[in-house]
Amino acid sequence: NAGVIQTPRHKVTGKGQEATLWCEPISGHSAVFWYRQTIVQGLEFLTYFRNQAPIDDSGMPKERFSAQMPNQSHSTLKIQSTQPQDSAVYLCASSTGHINTGQLYFGEGSKLTVL
Amino acid sequence: GQQVQQSPASLVLQEGENAELQCNFSSTATQLQWFYQSPGGSLVSLLSNPSGTKHTGRLTSTTVTKERRSSLHISSSQTTDSGTYLCAISTNTGKLTFGDGTVLTVKP
């Protein structure tokens, strides 16, 4: 089992450019989560899917961030018109989807730097 | 919303000493997980313990659900235990809310 796979590991963009981050959850896991980690804010929840359906996107900045899960084997997080304050490590996690027992397993993260 | 408070914020030990990390939360938790993050590293799940006591290796977690608190005990600490320990809870929603973590430094 390869674990949660995130690509790219590092991405540098210029201000105003678009960034797309990919996540491949653990095979058989039905829930996929996106978090953002910065030194100042810590770990912030962004959004999550269960069985490919969006369940909760309450943490997503509404205007420039979007997430999709077109099939059970991958999810994408897209940031349009990136800003320096978007610089962070974006973490994807998956779980079996059982609310009370499903442990979250995290990928190694995608470090986004916006110049 | 849910709040998760961890203490202490940082802890420095000599190798071989025991560590006790605390997590207090403001809502009833249906899921509670402890994670470890090495400096610059990824999050690794240590224990899932919404109630009672669980052991794995040198780690023991005790969660008292009705008092909304959990602890993580690390026995005989090693230098390789150094890093950040994070507590996270969910309340019937599936998503985890994280505390700010305890930074543990174990000196040789």
Side-chain angles (χ1 to χ4, degrees):
Chain A
N1 193 330
V4 176
I5 298 171
Q6 290 190 249
T7 54
R9 294 293 314 281
H10 302 274
K11 185 170 182 67
V12 180
T13 66
K15 183 178 174 181
Q17 293 183 329
E18 183 178 287
T20 300
L21 309 176
W22 283 268
C23 172
E24 180 180 330
I26 293 172
S27 178
H29 281 191
S30 60
V32 171
F33 301 78
W34 285 95
Y35 284 82
R36 174 168 66 179
Q37 187 174 32
T38 61
I39 293 174
V40 173
Q41 298 292 335
L43 269 157
E44 298 177 282
F45 168 79
L46 294 175
T47 186
Y48 95 94
F49 299 84
R50 185 179 298 136
N51 296 320
Q52 299 172 235
I55 302 298
D56 183 342
D57 66 353
S58 59
M60 292 276 274
K62 296 303 180 191
E63 291 185 353
R64 299 182 292 106
F65 284 59
S66 61
Q68 293 184 324
M69 191 161 184
N71 57 59
Q72 63 185 7
S73 64
H74 91 273
S75 175
T76 58
L77 179 68
K78 183 182 291 186
I79 308 170
Q80 295 178 309
S81 186
T82 55
Q83 303 297 311
Q85 62 264 30
D86 299 332
S87 297
V89 177
Y90 289 83
L91 293 161
C92 177
S94 71
S95 80
T96 58
H98 298 295
I99 288 176
N100 294 338
T101 59
Q103 288 184 246
L104 260 63
Y105 296 89
F106 281 83
E108 295 189 336
S110 293
K111 184 175 181 179
L112 176 66
T113 302
V114 182
L115 302 177
Chain B
Q2 303 166 19
Q3 295 213 350
V4 181
Q5 304 289 339
Q6 290 189 245
S7 60
S10 62
L11 183 61
V12 180
L13 299 174
Q14 290 297 131
E15 196 167 29
E17 292 182 328
N18 298 330
E20 188 84 12
L21 283 55
Q22 302 292 336
C23 176
N24 292 276
F25 39 95
S26 60
S27 305
T28 302
T30 53
Q31 174 62 279
L32 186 144
Q33 271 188 264
W34 284 94
F35 292 87
Y36 167 77
Q37 188 172 35
S38 60
S42 57
L43 281 160
V44 176
S45 178
L46 297 173
L47 282 166
S48 176
N49 186 28
S51 65
T53 298
K54 281 194 174 179
H55 306 273
T56 180
R58 294 181 293 106
L59 304 177
T60 301
S61 172
T62 300
T63 299
V64 183
T65 309
K66 60 183 178 181
E67 295 182 12
R68 299 179 181 174
R69 60 179 175 86
S70 180
S71 64
L72 181 68
H73 181 87
I74 306 172
S75 63
S76 303
S77 62
Q78 302 173 0
T79 55
T80 51
D81 295 333
S82 297
T84 302
Y85 291 79
L86 292 147
C87 172
I89 68 160
S90 72
T91 58
N92 265 338
T93 63
K95 75 180 188 189
L96 289 176
T97 299
F98 285 82
D100 288 336
T102 293
V103 178
L104 176 65
T105 303
V106 181
K107 295 186 174 181

